[in-house]
Amino acid sequence: MPAADSPFDGLCAVLSGACTRAPHVAVLSAFPAEQRVLRAATTVTERLVLDGRPVLVGRLAGQQVALMLTGIGLVNATTSTESLLAHLDVSAVVFSGVAGSTRRIGDVVVPATWTDVASGASSAADASLLGAASQVAAANPTLGRCTPVPPNPPGPEVCVPHQPNVAVGGEGQSSDPFGGKAFKCLPGAGAVFGCDPEALAVSAAEPIAVDEESAAVARVATAHGVPFVVVRGVSDGAGDPLGLPGFPSQFFAYYQLAADNAATVVMQLLATLPAPAALSGPVRSGPGAACAFARTATPACEGVSESRHVDRLVSRGCALRAEAASVTGLRADRMARKAAVRWRHAATVVKRSRYPSCCRVALLSRLLHAAAAAISHRRD
């Protein structure tokens, strides 16, 4: 389960490259194993936290991306997608994950619509993104056939008897087996139920994919006017060489094969999209202010460019806070107080600046909250 919201969320980040101001493609998955391949292939330039959820920002397949785990289930998918779209400038949402299907295990499906089974509400995937998926399918990408069963801890290798392929179109359906409650991930619980992103009524037409998140992500993206597409590898379906009795047995046997095949298709899909404009700031390393920290810290500052003076003060405060967290005793208290001074100074500059009124009030509150929290956290 994500940590409780922190006053430092969106304000501070760990930076290892240039701050990018171009929009990001949000690449979402529900649980750690679904993003294993994607995270390994991403050149990460920024690590930050938004409303308690870790986010990796960087480059993947030629695109500026923001990778985040939504958590399992419709409720988690709704809140996490809302949070990401509120805080970051997102040009498109791509979901990479696994699903049950009438197709074969290891195949990858890219439905044209997603329907919430409970409400019957449907959302259509973006036509351009579906077109890109069709290009990938036409290229007949090489997808995996073999996987250890179980994947974690790895057991003997099992290979499906067919060559998996990509199918674009049809309907996907999402249901909520958790009764409208958020499913809580479990720290240290591994690649499916764990929290660590570094770990690893039915319509007449039969759905091509069935899951627990996509309809929620689709609904939120559509409401915000952000294009979306969902790519799902089949974890439980036809063609099982072990003859397992469907879900959940097949899921726990083949989720990694399905997730990795979906990730392969997602990366090829991203590579077909136009390259983003190269808008970036100076190269920075280590703890500092999040890139575009005003918007990231508070949605009221969308489109606002921070002054260099405020940027330097916030960045120095974040670096001092990180240093305080790495030491103990009087030195830690001294670093925390220094961080608080920088943030209060930044708040004073913001108060006297020409920031738009809503942004100024919201950012001022965040900076003063961070300053107070830095000191109180050291006293705890």
Side-chain angles (χ1 to χ4, degrees):
M1 183 178 186
D5 293 358
S6 162
F8 311 110
D9 281 4
L11 194 65
C12 299
V14 177
L15 306 166
S16 58
C19 273
T20 300
R21 292 170 176 80
H24 302 86
V25 176
V27 180
L28 309 180
S29 299
F31 54 86
E34 290 182 320
Q35 277 199 346
R36 182 189 72 159
V37 168
L38 297 170
R39 288 172 178 258
T42 299
T43 300
V44 177
T45 56
E46 183 179 13
R47 299 170 186 265
L48 67 157
V49 177
L50 300 179
D51 295 331
R53 297 177 177 87
V55 179
L56 297 185
V57 177
R59 290 190 69 84
L60 173 64
Q63 300 295 323
Q64 289 292 337
V65 296
L67 277 67
M68 185 182 73
L69 298 181
T70 64
I72 295 172
L74 290 172
V75 174
N76 283 331
T78 297
T79 56
S80 55
T81 306
E82 287 279 9
S83 175
L84 190 68
L85 296 186
H87 289 90
L88 291 182
D89 187 4
V90 173
S91 61
V93 173
V94 178
F95 199 103
S96 182
V98 307
S101 177
T102 55
R103 292 188 64 87
R104 303 168 305 179
I105 290 170
D107 282 354
V108 175
V109 296
V110 188
T113 61
W114 280 94
T115 300
D116 183 325
V117 171
S119 68
S122 293
S123 304
D126 179 72
S128 295
L129 292 174
L130 284 175
S134 294
Q135 290 182 46
V136 174
N140 196 24
T142 301
L143 301 177
R145 292 182 51 231
C146 302
T147 183
V149 177
N152 186 28
E157 187 172 76
V158 173
C159 298
V160 294
H162 52 271
Q163 179 56 53
N165 58 24
V166 183
V168 180
E171 180 192 37
Q173 294 183 352
S174 301
S175 59
D176 178 16
F178 307 114
K181 298 180 181 179
F183 177 83
K184 295 182 180 180
C185 62
L186 305 172
V192 175
F193 299 118
C195 303
D196 183 4
E198 306 293 348
L200 291 180
V202 179
S203 65
E206 194 164 18
I208 195 173
V210 177
D211 68 19
E212 298 168 1
E213 298 86 24
S214 296
V217 172
R219 182 177 63 249
V220 173
T222 300
H224 285 267
V226 178
F228 81 89
V229 72
V230 176
V231 178
R232 293 278 183 175
V234 178
S235 56
D236 33 300
D240 178 8
L242 297 179
L244 299 173
F247 183 87
S249 299
Q250 286 183 336
F251 168 83
F252 283 108
Y254 299 112
Y255 70 77
Q256 197 62 70
L257 172 66
D260 292 354
N261 282 352
T264 296
V265 172
V266 164
M267 288 188 288
Q268 294 193 25
L269 186 154
L270 292 175
T272 70
L273 302 181
L279 300 174
S280 61
V283 174
R284 302 185 293 188
S285 256
C291 297
F293 70 84
R295 158 71 187 266
T296 310
T298 171
C301 291
E302 180 174 3
V304 171
S305 297
E306 304 90 350
S307 74
R308 291 184 180 180
H309 191 189
V310 174
D311 189 10
R312 285 195 295 268
L313 288 168
V314 174
S315 188
R316 184 57 183 153
C318 290
L320 287 165
R321 174 184 174 259
E323 186 175 349
S326 67
V327 296
T328 58
L330 292 177
R331 186 181 176 194
D333 292 335
R334 186 165 59 251
M335 294 299 103
R337 286 195 297 271
K338 287 183 176 181
V341 168
R342 298 307 193 283
W343 285 324
R344 290 195 194 102
H345 189 178
T348 300
V349 176
V350 168
K351 187 175 182 180
R352 297 172 179 171
S353 71
R354 295 183 179 179
Y355 283 92
S357 59
C358 290
C359 171
R360 183 170 61 249
V361 171
L363 188 55
L364 182 64
S365 174
R366 285 301 310 273
L367 290 168
L368 292 176
H369 191 190
I375 295 175
S376 66
H377 285 186
R378 292 312 313 167
R379 291 173 178 166
D380 291 345

